[in-house]
Amino acid sequence: MDNHMEKHALIRLKERALKVRGHILGMAARGGCFVGSALSCTDLVVFLYSRFLNIAKDNLNDPGRDYLFLSKGHAVPVLYGTFAELGFIHPGRLKNHLSTDDSVYWHPNRDIPGIEFHSGSLGHMLAVASGVALECKMKKQDNRIVVIVGDGELNEGSVWEALLIASAYRLDNLVIVVDRNRLQANAGTEDLIPLEPLIPKLQAFGMSVKSIDGHDFQDMEDVFSNIPFEADRPGVVIAHTIRGKGLPEIEDRVDKWFCKYSDEEAGRLIKALKSSNERLLEAI
């Protein structure tokens, strides 16, 4: 199957990702947030909502919609920014980041339209997503259930328990996306509790596994268009990413997990981000 993405579609995705990254930096100037983690999965989240998931502002409560659970909840600014671009929430609401008068906070909560479940403590959402996927199977619905987990989160035993259950119930409507930026908090994943070889480990738990460049939209299109990868097997997409992607001065740095900027610093970074992206768009 030819999944070549049209030029205008690719430009639209890159422009949307740029705007979402700008929103993330804006929130970093309003009390700080987990910038590195959010930028790591920005391209993935933008692609999933724009090209893969049946989720839109007019079907957020429709039982037939798809589901996305952000298990690495500290990256939630990427959801807020994406939801603002998709019209789930008013963009002006992002200025309420960390305000006691709103729910735009450091972790996902269901007071924000589009957030399916609270998260923050790591290792929980795969179990929740598996339960939703099982319910959809039992009701003979064709919803697709996506859960994004951090690679460091794979240290949690609850993740592997949920994988066993997802495999046992043959949840091929479940897609687990691993944000593989090889950093967790302030350490490298392979320096703390090594994960590799990750693919055979996941396969041994009954998963059907593919790898992608988590910043390459065409690569995402090629892989996600083939889901489910195998009948009766949950799918895992290992997305190789870079923490802080888009801002060279913080990319792949263990000390740039959480960032708090002044308005001036954020403005300078947004300007650099736009300049860099203009060059990328010209190259398409």
Side-chain angles (χ1 to χ4, degrees), residues 26-205:
M27 283 179 271
R30 289 185 281 276
C33 59
F34 296 94
V35 172
S37 181
L39 294 179
S40 172
C41 61
T42 294
D43 296 319
L44 285 166
V45 169
V46 166
F47 172 82
L48 289 168
Y49 278 98
S50 302
R51 301 282 293 187
F52 182 70
L53 294 165
N54 173 28
I55 305 175
K57 64 180 180 180
D58 58 355
N59 75 347
L60 295 177
N61 296 308
D62 187 327
R65 72 188 184 284
D66 293 336
Y67 292 80
L68 185 141
F69 296 93
L70 184 66
S71 196
K72 45 175 285 181
H74 46 280
V76 71
V78 68
L79 288 187
Y80 298 150
T82 301
F83 291 172
E85 288 303 313
L86 295 176
F88 296 8
I89 62 174
H90 191 283
R93 196 170 172 183
L94 301 182
K95 295 180 180 178
N96 298 337
H97 185 240
L98 303 187
S99 167
T100 55
D101 295 326
D102 205 330
S103 300
V104 184
Y105 187 63
W106 278 334
H107 293 100
N109 66 83
R110 296 185 66 187
D111 287 337
I112 304 295
I115 300 288
E116 297 286 1
F117 207 87
H118 303 260
S119 63
S121 297
L122 298 173
H124 293 177
M125 280 301 99
L126 181 53
V128 173
S130 297
V132 173
L134 178 58
E135 181 188 22
C136 292
K137 278 270 186 183
M138 293 174 69
K139 291 181 175 177
K140 301 187 184 306
Q141 298 176 174
D142 58 2
N143 319 60
R144 293 178 294 192
I145 319 300
V146 174
V147 56
I148 299 176
V149 302
D151 49 2
E153 186 179 0
L154 298 182
N155 292 161
E156 300 281 355
S158 54
V159 171
W160 299 92
E161 292 176 28
L163 289 175
L164 287 173
I165 292 170
S167 177
Y169 283 94
R170 301 177 179 179
L171 300 179
D172 57 5
N173 57 342
L174 176 67
V175 184
I176 303 153
V177 180
V178 179
D179 186 357
R180 186 73 171 111
N181 61 30
R182 304 182 80 87
L183 294 174
Q184 57 185 108
N186 298 319
T189 59
E190 304 310 291
D191 297 329
L192 194 60
I193 302 176
L195 294 170
E196 298 296 343
L198 185 54
I199 290 177
K201 287 178 183 175
L202 292 165
Q203 290 172 330
F205 273 69

Side-chain angles (χ1 to χ4, degrees), residues 2-7 9-10 13 47 51 217-218 221:
D2 182 8
N3 297 312
H4 183 70
M5 193 179 296
E6 296 291 336
K7 181 178 178 179
L10 184 57
L13 285 170
F47 172 82
R51 301 282 293 187
F217 291 120
Q218 183 62 61
E221 183 88 353

Side-chain angles (χ1 to χ4, degrees), residues 204-216:
F205 273 69
M207 305 294 112
S208 185
V209 186
K210 302 285 186 184
S211 295
I212 61 170
D213 178 339
H215 303 300
D216 186 324

